[in-house]
Amino acid sequence: MLRFILKRLLYGLLVLLGVILIIFFLFNVLPGDPARMMLGQRADLSSVEAINKDLGLDRSLPVQFLGYLNDLSPVSVHNRTDSSNYWFFNKQKYSSANVLFPLGKHVIVLKKPYLRRSYQSKRDVTDILSEALVNTLLLAVVAMVFAVFFGIAIGILCALKKNSVTDRIALVFSVLGMSVPSFFAAILNAWIFAFVLVDITHLNMVGSLYSVDDLGRGEYLELKNLILPALTLGIRPLAIIVELTRNSMLEVLSQDYIRTARAKGLSNFKIVFKHALKNALNPVITAVSGWLASLLAGAVFVEYVFDWKGIGVVIVNALDKYDFPVIMGAVLFISVVLIVINILVDIIYGLLDPRVRVH
């Protein structure tokens, strides 16, 4: 089992290195001059050269990539003769890191990953993402809870009423839910529930978790702004869970042990919820584990449409301003979440089914 876990961790590390490589070289060949973005109208040749040197952009691309890896790595190299720099471009003080051992003119230190600074705000990307992360995680979790609860319930109902009107209507809506793009569903839901039916729902078309009081009394919590983004974000996983639950329940209900339970006179409630459901949830659990991470990426359009102050809005605003460090940091963060969850799911499968460890 230990060998299986180590192999999965190694695969995850290799995937992460591939993602870092793609992110770095993709955003380093895109048009745009970071120095002029940071200086704006004040840009002159000497200032541009100074900024490029400060960011390490005057070096060759392979050397820049090594510096980027050094910034991201928890174990990195510092220049001992210049306490303001890491090995290449990181401007954090190495005195705040834990020095492991000296290495000539350098020292090996243990630190938190450094995602560089925003070209626009000059703030650390880590701080920008940390502020937005709470809202995005809240949105993703609420959307997933909504999808799981109603998806399983509707899937069970469709399985018990196979080929009925209820079953057919639910399947039609499931297909639509899987087919409609997130940004279109967001616009449609905002128009229907926050414009056409606003007198009934009293929902806002846009808004985040906290709103600013018009009378100048500061921010206040407004949970109703969470309803439409979570509903929109949860539509696609809801549709998939309905399909998976229905098909899995139909397969389980046709098994011999279910017929034996019916012959013993057990009630339908016990047969469905005590015997059939727990055996039918395996594919649902697989889908939930994958979708929870995917929702972080899918939240980009939904957050932007509803102006929900999460990582999605941060990414869109950074794209609009060519703020590459913020975009790179956000994409890398989402990739890490996906990789970690996939590794955990593989390990859980290995624990539950020894046959998985053979592959």
Side-chain angles (χ1 to χ4, degrees), residues 125-312:
V125 173
T126 304
D127 296 336
I128 297 174
L129 296 180
S130 297
E131 292 178 359
L133 177 61
V134 176
N135 285 350
T136 298
L137 285 178
L138 176 63
L139 177 60
V141 170
V142 172
M144 202 68 240
V145 170
F146 158 75
V148 169
F149 180 81
F150 286 99
I152 292 176
I154 296 172
I156 294 173
L157 181 63
C158 291
L160 296 178
K161 296 183 178 293
K162 180 183 177 183
N163 295 329
S164 66
V165 175
T166 302
D167 182 29
R168 295 182 185 280
I169 292 176
L171 291 179
V172 169
F173 278 102
S174 294
V175 173
L176 288 175
M178 289 184 282
S179 305
V180 175
S182 297
F183 69 89
F184 180 75
I187 295 172
L188 188 63
N189 285 336
W191 179 70
I192 293 175
F193 295 106
F195 181 75
V196 177
L197 302 177
V198 65
D199 293 333
I200 300 174
T201 62
H202 301 289
L203 297 175
N204 300 320
M205 293 190 73
V206 295
S208 192
L209 187 60
Y210 289 92
S211 297
V212 179
D213 188 87
D214 295 334
L215 301 178
R217 291 177 291 190
E219 291 185 335
Y220 62 95
L221 185 66
E222 195 161 23
L223 287 175
K224 70 177 183 179
N225 288 339
L226 179 61
I227 296 175
L228 286 181
L231 174 66
T232 304
L233 194 60
I235 287 176
R236 183 167 294 179
L238 169 68
I240 293 175
I241 291 173
V242 168
E243 289 275 3
L244 289 175
T245 304
R246 176 187 181 274
N247 295 336
S248 186
M249 281 291 295
L250 288 174
E251 182 179 350
V252 171
L253 289 174
S254 64
Q255 299 295 318
D256 290 339
Y257 72 92
I258 296 296
R259 287 193 287 269
T260 302
R262 293 186 190 279
K264 290 182 177 180
L266 294 179
S267 64
N268 283 332
F269 182 86
K270 284 187 176 181
I271 291 173
V272 171
F273 291 97
K274 188 175 180 180
H275 297 283
L277 182 59
K278 67 178 183 180
N279 293 317
L281 286 181
N282 287 335
V284 177
I285 293 173
T286 303
V288 170
S289 62
W291 269 103
L292 185 57
S294 300
L295 287 181
L296 295 178
V300 173
F301 297 110
V302 174
E303 288 183 359
Y304 184 72
V305 171
F306 291 104
D307 195 28
W308 182 263
K309 306 300 183 183
I311 291 181

Side-chain angles (χ1 to χ4, degrees), residues 85-146:
N85 288 280
Y86 283 134
W87 184 19
F88 293 114
F89 325 125
N90 190 338
K91 292 299 179 183
Q92 292 179 331
K93 300 289 185 180
Y94 80 76
S95 58
S96 63
N98 297 316
V99 178
L100 297 179
F101 55 87
L103 185 65
K105 293 182 179 180
H106 302 87
V107 288
I108 308 298
V109 301
L110 183 66
K111 62 171 181 61
K112 65 179 182 180
Y114 178 61
L115 299 177
R116 305 287 176 87
R117 289 175 297 164
S118 165
Y119 291 158
Q120 300 296 325
S121 65
K122 313 299 188 297
R123 297 176 58 202
D124 281 355
V125 173
T126 304
D127 296 336
I128 297 174
L129 296 180
S130 297
E131 292 178 359
L133 177 61
V134 176
N135 285 350
T136 298
L137 285 178
L138 176 63
L139 177 60
V141 170
V142 172
M144 202 68 240
V145 170
F146 158 75

Side-chain angles (χ1 to χ4, degrees), residues 72-86:
L72 294 178
S73 175
V75 179
S76 60
V77 185
H78 289 259
N79 191 327
R80 297 180 67 185
T81 60
D82 184 359
S83 62
S84 65
N85 288 280
Y86 283 134

